Each structure stands twice: as structure tokens, then as C-alpha cells.
């Protein structure tokens, strides 16, 4: 499937789901149920199967992670500084802005997009980023939020760190994505053979992850909506959709990533923020409107910017 056709299909599904929610053709609980199915069953199985079967030879994961997370650091820092300097928000809001400007929607949008544009090989490389993305971003969010609370004078104390660290690892080890990836790597390292019936069952369930994720995402965008903080959300969206992929492109070129791997890194960086940014804002009790607006606006704008970055990355890296 060509790039333009893939973009049309991907965002067409999102638009249809949004319309279904807007006109109340489907109850919003349907979207929640679909999200749960993707998060708990379909996507973890897809990640598991990819870890077991993919050929990762020549993908240089350390170089890939370095290039990608250089972009994360720059985008996060730019978002944090921008929300505080231009909009007078506190340090805790700066953390939420950082998440909104640097936390790519790698699964619900990235997964079907990569499969459509770059095929299974592209998704295999994306899986290497997914494998470390959630733990690193969550750890950074929690750590920076604790520091921000202290700087803002909201919380003072030392023992709270123990509870924070314990909660982080508890959440991480119960995350279906993490479990799917770990199970796949263990299966791969043990050299076990996948029974044909089990492989067919996993393929059937994981095969619908892409379209179902897009539909759930479209319904979710209607639920979150846009209200207030428009200027701030526009700036966060620009940082996420323009600055971050530009930095990753430069880093990939300087590091000398293999061309195909470099393209995946750039496109992954060009993805808009997903629902995790809103969930983190809700957990921290600040910046919910900023996170929601940034997610909705960046997702809409990414229909154009993703086309641009895929074209640029292809032109530069071949």
C-alpha cells in the first residue's frame, strides 16, 4: 500500500470512529472496550509474536535508541521551558508539557501506520523502540514530577520516593505491552518452537490490532475533546510534530543508522502524543486540558506532517 493511500486509510478509520462517537452511533463505552482489547490482548500478542519471529539483525538497537531518545530529550526540554516561559505555568505543568511534546503514540497509531507503510520489517524495528519507550518515559515522568512537586513546594519529604519507585515497578510489571515483549524475548532466547495452532490463534487475534486500535483512538479523541489552552497546545503540537522528528533525523544521520532503521526512527518520532500523556496528567492532577488538547490537535495535524516526514526520511535515507 502506498504512502498516501496508507495515510488516507489510517486517518479515515480514525475519522469514521470519531463520527460514530460524535453522532452517538456507538456508545463511548464501545471505544473503551476496544481500547481495552487492544491494550490487554491484541497489541501484546502482536508484540510477542514479533519478538519471537522477527529478524533484528543489523538494526543496531543501541544506536536506534540513542537517536530516538536524543529527540525525546530535546522535545521534552523545549516543551517544559516553553510552557513555563511563555505561559507562566509551574514546574508540574512543565512535566505534563514535556510528556505531551515527547511521548509518541507508538502503539495505537504507530503500529498500524508502520505496518501499512513499511510492512512487518518496519514494525519489528518499531517494536525495539516500544520495548524501552514505556518504561523510560514513565520513569522520567514520575521522577521529574516528584522533583517538580518539591520545587513548587507542594510536597516535602524523603520516604515518599520508596512508595513512588515501588509503584512504578509494580505498574511496569503489570503492563501488558511489557509482559508481551518480555514473554517474546524469553521464548526467543529459549529457542522454543511455536505450535502451528498456537501461532494461527495468536496471528488471528493480533492481526486485528491495527484497525481496532485506530477505531478506538478515533472514539477516544471525541471523548477527550478540545477546551482552553489552545495556544499552548498548538506550541506543544509543533514541538512534537516538527522539532522532535527533525532532531531524530539529524541524530540518525550523525550516528550513521542503517537507512531503513533511520526512517523508522524518524517516523516514530513524528507520531503525535497519545492517550498516555492525558493519563499521566490526570494521575499528577495538573495539565489535563493541555494534554487533551495537544493530543487531539497533534493527531489531526499529523495527517499532514507524517506524510511530510515519511517523504523527507525516504528522500534522505533512501
Amino acid at each position: 500500500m502506498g504512502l498516501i493511500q496508507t495515510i488516507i486509510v489510517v486517518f479515515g478509520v480514525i475519522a469514521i470512529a470519531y463520527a460514530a462517537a460524535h453522532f452517538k452511533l456507538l456508545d463511548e463505552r464501545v471505544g473503551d472496550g476496544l481500547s481495552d482489547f487492544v491494550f490487554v490482548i491484541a497489541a501484546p500478542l502482536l508484540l510477542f509474536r514479533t519478538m519471537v519471529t522477527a529478524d533484528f539483525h543489523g538494526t543496531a538497537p543501541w544506536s536506534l535508541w540513542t537517536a530516538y531518545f536524543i529527540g525525546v530529550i530535546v522535545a521534552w526540554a523545549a516543551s517544559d521551558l516553553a510552557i513555563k516561559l511563555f505561559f507562566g505555568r509551574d514546574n508540574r505543568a512543565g512535566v505534563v508539557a514535556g510528556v505531551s511534546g515527547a511521548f509518541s503514540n507508538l502503539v495505537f497509531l504507530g503500529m498500524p501506520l508502520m505496518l501499512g507503510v513499511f510492512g512487518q520489517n518496519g514494525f519489528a524495528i518499531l517494536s525495539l523502540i516500544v520495548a524501552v519507550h514505556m518504561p523510560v518515559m514513565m520513569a522520567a515522568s514520575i521522577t521529574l514530577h516528584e522533583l517538580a512537586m518539591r520545587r513548587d513546594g507542594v510536597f516535602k519529604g524523603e520516604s515518599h520516593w520508596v512508595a513512588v519507585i515501588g509503584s512504578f515497578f509494580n505498574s511496569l510489571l503489570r503492563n501488558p505491552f511489557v509482559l508481551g515483549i518480555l514473554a517474546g524475548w524469553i521464548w526467543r532466547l529459549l529457542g522454543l518452537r511455536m505450535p502451528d495452532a498456537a501461532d494461527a490463534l495468536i496471528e488471528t487475534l493480533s492481526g486485528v490490532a491495527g484497525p481496532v486500535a485506530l477505531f478506538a483512538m478515533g472514539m477516544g479523541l471525541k471523548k477527550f475533546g478540545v477546551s482552553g489552552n489552545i495556544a499552548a497546545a498548538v506550541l506543544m503540537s509543533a514541538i512534537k510534530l516538527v522539532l522532535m522528528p527533525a532532531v531524530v533525523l539529524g541524530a540518525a544521520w550523525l550516528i550513521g543508522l542503517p537507512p531503513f532503521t533511520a526512517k523508522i526512527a524518524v517516523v516514530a518520532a513524528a507520531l503525535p502524543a497519545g492517550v498516555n500523556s492525558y493519563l499521566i496528567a490526570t494521575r499528577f492532577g495538573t495539565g489535563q486540558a493541555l494534554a487533551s488538547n495537544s493530543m487531539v490537535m497533534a493527531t489531526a495535524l499529523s495527517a499532514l506532517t507524517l506524510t511530510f516526514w515519511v517523504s523527507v526520511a525516504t528522500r534522505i535515507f533512501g
Side-chain angles (χ1 to χ4, degrees):
M1 190 185 300
L3 169 60
I4 301 300
Q5 185 177 349
T6 299
I7 294 292
I8 291 173
V9 169
V10 165
F11 286 93
V13 173
I14 293 173
I16 290 171
Y18 184 93
H22 179 76
F23 293 109
K24 302 187 184 305
L25 299 178
L26 294 172
D27 191 279
E28 70 174 27
R29 290 175 296 180
V30 173
D32 295 337
L34 292 175
S35 294
D36 289 342
F37 169 72
V38 173
F39 184 76
V40 177
I41 297 175
L45 285 175
L46 181 58
L47 291 168
F48 169 79
R49 191 169 186 271
T50 300
M51 295 299 112
V52 172
T53 62
D55 178 12
F56 294 115
H57 179 71
T59 52
W62 286 107
S63 297
L64 169 64
W65 293 336
T66 298
Y68 184 82
F69 282 100
I70 286 174
V72 168
I73 292 169
V74 172
W76 192 309
S79 301
D80 181 283
L81 289 173
I83 202 70
K84 290 187 288 190
L85 291 176
F86 300 139
F87 299 96
R89 300 295 296 274
D90 61 15
N91 290 298
R92 290 176 299 153
V95 176
V96 174
V99 174
S100 298
F103 203 140
S104 293
N105 188 351
L106 296 179
V107 175
F108 279 78
L109 180 55
M111 181 174 63
L113 181 72
M114 293 295 181
L115 287 169
V117 178
F118 299 107
Q120 191 62 44
N121 289 335
F123 179 73
I125 296 173
L126 178 69
S127 299
L128 292 175
I129 300 177
V130 173
V132 298
H133 185 254
M134 177 71 75
V136 169
M137 298 299 282
M138 288 303 297
S141 301
I142 293 171
T143 301
L144 291 174
H145 183 254
E146 292 300 311
L147 293 173
M149 288 179 69
R150 284 163 169 75
R151 290 199 299 270
D152 291 339
V154 177
F155 176 84
K156 296 180 180 179
E158 300 298 333
S159 61
H160 188 59
W161 280 105
V162 176
V164 170
I165 294 171
S167 176
F168 166 70
F169 281 106
N170 183 48
S171 298
L172 187 64
L173 293 176
R174 291 189 302 171
N175 186 287
F177 295 164
V178 174
L179 294 177
I181 291 166
L182 287 177
W185 279 116
I186 292 171
W187 191 283
R188 186 186 186 101
L189 291 173
L190 292 176
L192 300 175
R193 179 184 175 277
M194 181 69 67
D196 292 340
D199 185 59
L201 177 61
I202 292 172
E203 185 177 12
T204 299
L205 288 171
S206 64
V208 300
V212 174
L214 292 173
F215 203 90
M217 181 181 173
M219 293 193 71
L221 291 176
K222 173 61 179 68
K223 179 171 67 175
F224 294 119
V226 175
S227 61
N229 292 307
I230 301 300
V234 170
L235 183 54
M236 297 307 105
S237 299
I239 291 172
K240 182 68 197 73
L241 301 178
V242 179
L243 177 62
M244 184 170 166
V247 172
V248 172
L249 188 150
W253 182 77
L254 290 172
I255 291 171
L257 279 182
F260 189 70
T261 303
K263 286 192 289 187
I264 301 303
V266 172
V267 176
L271 292 165
V275 71
N276 280 314
S277 59
Y278 178 80
L279 296 178
I280 289 171
T282 301
R283 177 176 177 178
F284 293 164
T286 185
Q288 294 96 322
L290 172 64
S292 176
N293 292 347
S294 298
M295 177 184 65
V296 174
M297 295 176 66
T299 300
L301 293 170
S302 67
L304 298 175
T305 57
L306 280 168
T307 304
F308 171 78
W309 284 113
V310 172
S311 301
V312 168
T314 300
R315 186 174 185 85
I316 293 175
F317 296 110

